[in-house]
Amino acid sequence: MRPGPAVLLTDFGTRDPFVGIVKGVILAHAPRAQLVDLGHELDPQDLRGAALALRAAVPYFPERALFVVVVDPGVGSARRILWARSRTRQFLVPDNGVLSWLTKDEAPVVWREVRNPAWYLPGGSATFHGRDRFAPVAAALLNGVSPATLGPRVHDPVRLRWPAVRETAAGLSGEILSFDRFGNAVTNLPSSRVPAGARVLHRGRSLGPLRRFYAEVPRGRSLAVAGSSGFVELSTREGDYRARTRARPGDPVHVRNPRRRR
Amino acid sequence: MRPGPAVLLTDFGTRDPFVGIVKGVILAHAPRAQLVDLGHELDPQDLRGAALALRAAVPYFPERALFVVVVDPGVGSARRILWARSRTRQFLVPDNGVLSWLTKDEAPVVWREVRNPAWYLPGGSATFHGRDRFAPVAAALLNGVSPATLGPRVHDPVRLRWPAVRETAAGLSGEILSFDRFGNAVTNLPSSRVPAGARVLHRGRSLGPLRRFYAEVPRGRSLAVAGSSGFVELSTREGDYRARTRARPGDPVHVRNPRRRR
Amino acid sequence: MRPGPAVLLTDFGTRDPFVGIVKGVILAHAPRAQLVDLGHELDPQDLRGAALALRAAVPYFPERALFVVVVDPGVGSARRILWARSRTRQFLVPDNGVLSWLTKDEAPVVWREVRNPAWYLPGGSATFHGRDRFAPVAAALLNGVSPATLGPRVHDPVRLRWPAVRETAAGLSGEILSFDRFGNAVTNLPSSRVPAGARVLHRGRSLGPLRRFYAEVPRGRSLAVAGSSGFVELSTREGDYRARTRARPGDPVHVRNPRRRR
């Protein structure tokens, strides 16, 4: 069965014509392709942001979706282009670990190196593989070309490390991974591991217990909330937590368990 | 007849994967859905901006369009989700007044509370109703599900007040509602109520008579112009009126009638 | 054969509902239209940016594409709206030179003035021709209306000058045309005219020889690279060349030929 829609995630921004050109190439070769933007405003070459976006988004897309990811600091160097397949979905990515943080159900089970130049645009540049390689290969896949023809199996894709959560005497220690547009801080602390009554601390300040939604605190108050992708988030209700606290990626965040009564 | 396209208006921004995820859910449940972005760059929780955008945009879309609006400061609280129908178009919105400023022809005539969880995503979060409720309910509507199954009729949707235009001895007084990306100030003064020869004043400064287009004044000159949605706009030709004058939402704007000859 | 997809390039931004409204009008009149965004974040009224974007993008789109360009400082004045056709593609543009920098293969061979108001929206404003004229005329073309019915042939479209490259005793002199989102400076110097061993200079500083890709220099180092659209670009690897050097459009850029051995 042919994959689709093609879901595009890049760091190209939307000011320049790059994203449009990628779509143009796909449509020139697969005129009925259904195209969906997952995002193009990642900070340039922000692999962690791309990996988190994919973790959050992939399970919600149609099972036949083909994700085309062009966040690619190594463009033009010897880094490989990889095709991957999870149980049902397909991916076309640079070999830089961007699929490392997918949930277990979505993790790729087969990888191939895209090495067959049959579908590359002729005379392509060394700096715009999104246009010259990713787009026409994506179109070929959308047209039903067999992934086996792209290149040989690969067993050593580059991996991106997931920062570990540490268990301490007092509770848990994790860190801020990144921020969303509203200034909410996304951490690596699973909400499911925060016991009832535990407090969340950042920069020595308590944000109280883990809340289910923003409206549990007054406007302008900061809080820790069970975020939509399963992790603890630090937020300010109707405000910008990052700006308010000058929080940064990598900041430690602690969960302190309630004291037991003696 | 099934509605469509689905027209999306949110304050999610395009940096994070939220809009893409909403589209993913719609396409996972309604694979042939036609999706159109009305905008995602509203200031977070800017209800007035959303209401104005809908006022300007709704009449130009296909009559079968389904507008899905997720500008939702109350997410996770007890605020309702509403379905509404005007003469021909449909809407899925939080109950916060965002449809209050539609023109008379487009105003909703039937409202329902979306209360039936049959289409909600299982295990949904309390913070991302766009993904867990709005998107799958929109997909259900696009698939032909009857709105009557969503929930009971509602007769008391929240309303957003439209700032009144006052008639004065000298003419009219209104205010700046918001700004567009170019820095043009949109007011609540209907162009049709500005008599020939009247002058438009802001911050004690005359912008001259109401113009039909920018090119009527030299480059860099400020002017009052009959805007594309029927209201007086304050602009600088090939410039940024907001930056130049430090104008703010709520600023009074006056129309001074021409003096009659005695 | 009916044209399509419709490819949209504007300076409307995506904060306001303008782009959505243009799409709404097209879909209201051509419900099956396939719409692709080439870009909406051009600096307001940046004709050079629009002309460069079209030069880079047009050849990659399907041959039946219809490009709708609304970068239009003269809206509401007497400037004409033009339809144009190159060998295979079609264009709808304001008469301001925005198609002047297309490559030879893509240059328009037939021009018409769009003058027939049959498809204009009734009661249209003087400030939003994108909605009131471009969009419904585009829909008519997508529906198969003959371009001949739009208006008479035109032989004097406005032209935008391409800054000339000068040959000097030492090599070549050109200039910076514009910047992309990453801060890379795009010049008017064709990469194909830079001889092996020549150095690229900007502001008296050598950027070394022309490189094929970024990874040829260490992180943080500036370089001159053969850009994806055929021109020399000035970049900083994993950095922002514009911010680092305070480069500006129009800055002279020189190519100094290697000295011959005697």
Side-chain angles (χ1 to χ4, degrees):
Chain A
M1 196 159 65
R2 296 183 179 190
V7 185
L8 309 179
L9 178 66
T10 78
D11 61 358
F12 292 167
T14 52
R15 182 169 173 272
D16 303 308
F18 304 140
V19 173
I21 291 170
V22 166
K23 294 180 180 174
V25 172
I26 295 177
L27 292 172
H29 294 83
R32 293 170 177 282
Q34 196 179 24
L35 303 174
V36 185
D37 297 302
L38 179 51
H40 305 291
E41 307 284 350
L42 288 166
D43 289 335
Q45 310 168 348
D46 177 12
L47 292 180
R48 284 171 76 138
L52 276 177
L54 289 164
R55 177 189 181 90
V58 166
Y60 292 97
F61 273 84
E63 299 220 323
R64 295 169 49 235
L66 167 67
F67 293 84
V68 181
V69 182
V70 196
V71 180
D72 193 11
V75 63
S77 70
R79 74 89 186 83
R80 303 177 291 192
I81 297 177
L82 300 179
W83 170 89
R85 183 173 57 73
S86 63
R87 283 186 314 163
T88 65
R89 298 178 178 95
Q90 296 184 42
F91 304 86
L92 207 52
V93 298
D95 184 18
N96 58 23
V98 80
L99 300 182
S100 304
W101 293 358
L102 292 173
T103 55
K104 207 173 158 189
D105 277 358
E106 301 297 337
V109 291
V110 186
W111 299 83
R112 289 186 180 276
E113 181 178 354
V114 177
R115 184 191 279 183
N116 182 344
W119 295 279
Y120 295 175
L121 293 199
S125 74
T127 52
F128 196 178
H129 283 182
R131 175 193 69 192
D132 300 328
R133 301 188 177 186
F134 286 87
V137 170
L141 290 165
L142 296 171
N143 285 335
V145 163
S146 165
T149 66
L150 299 179
R153 291 282 292 273
V154 161
H155 301 278
D156 60 346
V158 171
R159 303 288 305 172
L160 200 65
R161 192 183 63 85
W162 176 264
V165 172
R166 286 182 302 112
E167 297 209 26
T168 66
L172 298 173
S173 288
E175 67 180 71
I176 291 176
L177 293 177
S178 75
F179 297 89
D180 69 19
R181 176 211 180 203
F182 299 112
N184 300 316
V186 182
T187 76
N188 64 337
L189 293 161
S191 300
S192 59
R193 291 180 61 187
V194 179
R199 284 174 301 137
V200 178
L201 292 95
H202 173 226
R203 301 204 161 178
R205 189 164 157 254
S206 171
L207 293 158
L210 189 63
R211 315 281 185 172
R212 288 193 55 245
F213 45 84
Y214 303 128
E216 288 186 53
V217 302
R219 280 191 181 77
R221 180 76 64 83
S222 292
L223 72 157
V225 69
S228 58
S229 51
F231 294 93
V232 174
E233 295 184 13
L234 314 184
S235 301
T236 299
R237 184 178 171 198
E238 296 184 26
D240 182 322
Y241 186 82
R242 171 159 59 168
R244 182 185 206 168
T245 64
R246 306 198 183 185
R248 299 172 67 92
D251 271 9
V253 179
H254 305 285
V255 173
R256 188 157 300 168
N257 292 338
R259 294 195 194 165
R260 302 201 201 129
R261 304 229 178 122
R262 302 185 181 237
Chain B
M1 196 159 67
R2 298 184 179 189
V7 184
L8 309 179
L9 178 66
T10 78
D11 61 359
F12 291 169
T14 51
R15 181 169 173 273
D16 303 308
F18 305 141
V19 173
I21 291 171
V22 166
K23 293 179 180 174
V25 172
I26 295 177
L27 292 172
H29 294 83
R32 294 171 177 282
Q34 195 180 26
L35 303 175
V36 185
D37 297 302
L38 181 50
H40 305 290
E41 307 285 351
L42 288 166
D43 289 336
Q45 309 168 348
D46 177 11
L47 292 179
R48 285 170 76 140
L52 276 178
L54 289 164
R55 178 188 180 91
V58 166
Y60 292 98
F61 273 84
E63 299 221 322
R64 296 167 50 234
L66 167 66
F67 292 84
V68 181
V69 182
V70 195
V71 180
D72 192 11
V75 63
S77 70
R79 74 91 185 82
R80 303 177 292 193
I81 297 177
L82 300 179
W83 169 90
R85 184 173 57 72
S86 63
R87 284 186 314 163
T88 65
R89 296 177 179 97
Q90 296 184 42
F91 304 87
L92 207 54
V93 298
D95 185 18
N96 60 22
V98 80
L99 300 182
S100 303
W101 293 358
L102 292 173
T103 54
K104 207 174 160 187
D105 277 358
E106 301 297 336
V109 291
V110 185
W111 297 83
R112 289 186 179 276
E113 180 178 354
V114 177
R115 184 192 280 184
N116 182 345
W119 294 280
Y120 297 174
L121 294 199
S125 75
T127 51
F128 196 0
H129 282 183
R131 175 191 70 190
D132 301 328
R133 300 188 178 186
F134 285 87
V137 171
L141 290 166
L142 296 171
N143 286 334
V145 162
S146 164
T149 66
L150 299 178
R153 292 281 292 270
V154 160
H155 301 278
D156 59 346
V158 170
R159 304 288 304 174
L160 200 66
R161 191 183 63 85
W162 176 264
V165 172
R166 286 182 304 111
E167 298 210 23
T168 66
L172 299 172
S173 287
E175 67 180 70
I176 291 176
L177 293 177
S178 76
F179 297 89
D180 68 21
R181 176 214 181 201
F182 299 114
N184 300 316
V186 181
T187 76
N188 65 338
L189 293 161
S191 300
S192 60
R193 290 180 61 188
V194 179
R199 284 175 302 136
V200 177
L201 292 94
H202 172 226
R203 301 205 160 176
R205 188 163 158 255
S206 172
L207 293 158
L210 188 62
R211 313 283 183 171
R212 289 193 55 244
F213 47 83
Y214 302 128
E216 288 185 53
V217 303
R219 281 191 179 78
R221 180 76 65 83
S222 291
L223 71 158
V225 68
S228 58
S229 51
F231 294 94
V232 174
E233 295 184 11
L234 315 184
S235 302
T236 300
R237 184 177 171 198
E238 296 185 24
D240 182 322
Y241 186 82
R242 172 158 61 168
R244 181 184 207 168
T245 63
R246 307 199 182 185
R248 299 172 67 92
D251 271 10
V253 178
H254 305 285
V255 173
R256 189 157 298 167
N257 292 338
R259 293 194 195 166
R260 302 198 204 133
R261 305 229 176 124
R262 299 182 183 238
Chain C
M1 196 158 67
R2 297 183 180 190
V7 184
L8 309 179
L9 178 67
T10 78
D11 60 359
F12 290 169
T14 52
R15 182 169 173 270
D16 304 308
F18 304 141
V19 172
I21 291 170
V22 166
K23 293 180 180 175
V25 172
I26 295 177
L27 292 172
H29 294 85
R32 293 170 177 283
Q34 195 180 25
L35 303 175
V36 184
D37 296 303
L38 180 51
H40 305 290
E41 307 285 350
L42 289 167
D43 289 336
Q45 308 167 349
D46 176 12
L47 292 180
R48 284 170 75 138
L52 276 178
L54 289 164
R55 177 189 180 89
V58 166
Y60 292 97
F61 274 85
E63 298 221 324
R64 295 167 49 234
L66 168 67
F67 292 84
V68 181
V69 182
V70 195
V71 180
D72 193 11
V75 63
S77 69
R79 73 90 186 84
R80 303 176 291 191
I81 296 177
L82 300 179
W83 169 90
R85 184 172 59 72
S86 63
R87 283 186 314 162
T88 65
R89 298 178 178 95
Q90 296 184 42
F91 304 87
L92 207 54
V93 298
D95 184 18
N96 58 23
V98 81
L99 299 182
S100 303
W101 294 357
L102 292 173
T103 54
K104 206 173 161 189
D105 277 358
E106 301 297 337
V109 291
V110 185
W111 298 83
R112 290 187 179 275
E113 181 178 356
V114 177
R115 183 191 280 184
N116 182 344
W119 294 281
Y120 296 174
L121 294 199
S125 74
T127 52
F128 196 178
H129 282 182
R131 175 191 70 192
D132 301 329
R133 300 189 178 185
F134 285 86
V137 170
L141 290 165
L142 295 171
N143 286 334
V145 163
S146 164
T149 65
L150 300 178
R153 292 281 293 272
V154 160
H155 301 278
D156 60 346
V158 170
R159 304 288 304 173
L160 200 64
R161 191 183 62 85
W162 176 265
V165 172
R166 285 183 301 112
E167 298 209 24
T168 65
L172 298 172
S173 287
E175 68 180 71
I176 291 177
L177 293 177
S178 75
F179 297 89
D180 69 20
R181 175 215 180 202
F182 299 113
N184 300 317
V186 181
T187 76
N188 65 337
L189 293 160
S191 300
S192 58
R193 290 180 61 187
V194 179
R199 284 174 302 136
V200 177
L201 292 94
H202 172 226
R203 299 204 163 179
R205 189 163 157 254
S206 171
L207 293 158
L210 188 63
R211 314 282 184 173
R212 288 194 55 244
F213 46 82
Y214 302 129
E216 289 185 52
V217 303
R219 281 191 180 78
R221 182 76 64 84
S222 292
L223 71 159
V225 68
S228 58
S229 52
F231 294 94
V232 173
E233 295 184 11
L234 314 184
S235 301
T236 300
R237 183 175 172 200
E238 297 185 26
D240 183 321
Y241 186 83
R242 171 157 62 169
R244 180 182 208 170
T245 63
R246 306 197 183 187
R248 299 172 68 92
D251 271 9
V253 179
H254 304 287
V255 174
R256 189 158 299 166
N257 292 337
R259 292 192 197 167
R260 300 196 205 137
R261 303 226 178 126
R262 297 180 186 244

